[in-house]
Amino acid sequence: MPQEPLSKSERMELRREHGFRELPEPVEKYLGPEYAMAFACLHCRTSNMRHFDLAPSEYPLSGECPVCKNKTFNLGRDFKPPKKSNEAQWKKIEFLIEHGFQFQKVRLVPTEMESVAYPKTLTEAKEFVVKYKKWAIKSGI
Ligand SMILES: [Zn+2]
């Protein structure tokens, strides 16, 4: 009888038992040393890290998608793209971008590092864009 292939979690469990640490997934197309920014395309829902020889504040807010040639949006270094099938999250991201929020830091006290957490749902996003309108940037759309 051929053995059932192990699921990923079973493999990880095995490795853990044997004292191996699961290596982190390689970062997708990580081009720059510390100033790579995630550019995400709402059309094909892909995200790529891009590096420019510019100060982070001078990075363009949008660019061209390397996959489908539509517009990509600079969503900062910490953006983690949702799964392509996650309609609700992509709708939320689109809504935020339309309203001038590309995951830039919203700091209520400019001199402090602390920033407002981004909304988790579209419903929350609708309140967020009103509440923090002052921090909106010129929409890239
Ligand atoms: Zn695209």
Short mmCIF file of all heavy atoms in Angstrom, two decimals, residues 41 43-46 65 67-70, ligand 1:
data_model
loop_
_atom_site.label_atom_id
_atom_site.label_comp_id
_atom_site.label_asym_id
_atom_site.label_seq_id
_atom_site.Cartn_x
_atom_site.Cartn_y
_atom_site.Cartn_z
N CYS A 41 -1.78 45.19 -7.18
CA CYS A 41 -2.65 45.45 -8.32
C CYS A 41 -4.06 44.96 -7.98
O CYS A 41 -4.24 43.79 -7.63
CB CYS A 41 -2.11 44.73 -9.54
SG CYS A 41 -3.20 44.79 -10.96
N HIS A 43 -6.45 44.73 -10.04
CA HIS A 43 -7.01 44.03 -11.19
C HIS A 43 -6.70 42.53 -11.14
O HIS A 43 -7.60 41.70 -11.17
CB HIS A 43 -6.49 44.67 -12.47
CG HIS A 43 -7.13 44.13 -13.70
ND1 HIS A 43 -8.38 44.55 -14.11
CD2 HIS A 43 -6.72 43.20 -14.60
CE1 HIS A 43 -8.70 43.89 -15.22
NE2 HIS A 43 -7.71 43.07 -15.53
N CYS A 44 -5.40 42.18 -11.05
CA CYS A 44 -5.04 40.76 -11.02
C CYS A 44 -4.72 40.28 -9.60
O CYS A 44 -4.41 39.13 -9.38
CB CYS A 44 -3.91 40.45 -11.98
SG CYS A 44 -2.33 41.16 -11.52
N ARG A 45 -4.81 41.21 -8.64
CA ARG A 45 -4.62 40.89 -7.23
C ARG A 45 -3.27 40.23 -6.93
O ARG A 45 -3.20 39.22 -6.21
CB ARG A 45 -5.77 40.02 -6.73
CG ARG A 45 -7.09 40.76 -6.82
CD ARG A 45 -8.24 39.94 -6.36
NE ARG A 45 -9.47 40.74 -6.43
CZ ARG A 45 -10.68 40.28 -6.18
NH1 ARG A 45 -10.85 39.02 -5.84
NH2 ARG A 45 -11.72 41.06 -6.27
N THR A 46 -2.25 40.81 -7.52
CA THR A 46 -0.90 40.35 -7.19
C THR A 46 -0.19 41.50 -6.49
O THR A 46 -0.57 42.65 -6.63
CB THR A 46 -0.10 39.94 -8.44
OG1 THR A 46 -0.11 41.03 -9.35
CG2 THR A 46 -0.67 38.70 -9.09
N CYS A 65 1.57 47.36 -13.17
CA CYS A 65 1.61 45.97 -12.74
C CYS A 65 2.47 45.15 -13.71
O CYS A 65 2.23 45.19 -14.91
CB CYS A 65 0.20 45.41 -12.69
SG CYS A 65 0.17 43.65 -12.32
N VAL A 67 2.41 42.10 -14.12
CA VAL A 67 1.65 40.94 -14.59
C VAL A 67 0.63 41.33 -15.65
O VAL A 67 0.62 40.81 -16.76
CB VAL A 67 0.95 40.22 -13.40
CG1 VAL A 67 0.17 39.00 -13.89
CG2 VAL A 67 1.98 39.82 -12.35
N CYS A 68 -0.26 42.29 -15.31
CA CYS A 68 -1.36 42.60 -16.23
C CYS A 68 -1.29 44.01 -16.81
O CYS A 68 -2.16 44.40 -17.58
CB CYS A 68 -2.70 42.37 -15.54
SG CYS A 68 -3.08 43.66 -14.33
N LYS A 69 -0.26 44.78 -16.42
CA LYS A 69 -0.03 46.14 -16.93
C LYS A 69 -1.06 47.16 -16.46
O LYS A 69 -1.06 48.29 -16.92
CB LYS A 69 0.06 46.18 -18.47
CG LYS A 69 1.03 45.18 -19.08
CD LYS A 69 2.47 45.53 -18.74
CE LYS A 69 3.44 44.45 -19.23
NZ LYS A 69 4.68 44.42 -18.48
N ASN A 70 -1.94 46.77 -15.56
CA ASN A 70 -2.82 47.76 -14.96
C ASN A 70 -2.04 48.51 -13.90
O ASN A 70 -0.85 48.28 -13.69
CB ASN A 70 -4.06 47.08 -14.36
CG ASN A 70 -5.14 46.86 -15.40
OD1 ASN A 70 -5.83 47.79 -15.80
ND2 ASN A 70 -5.25 45.63 -15.87
ZN ZN B 1 -2.11 43.25 -12.29
#
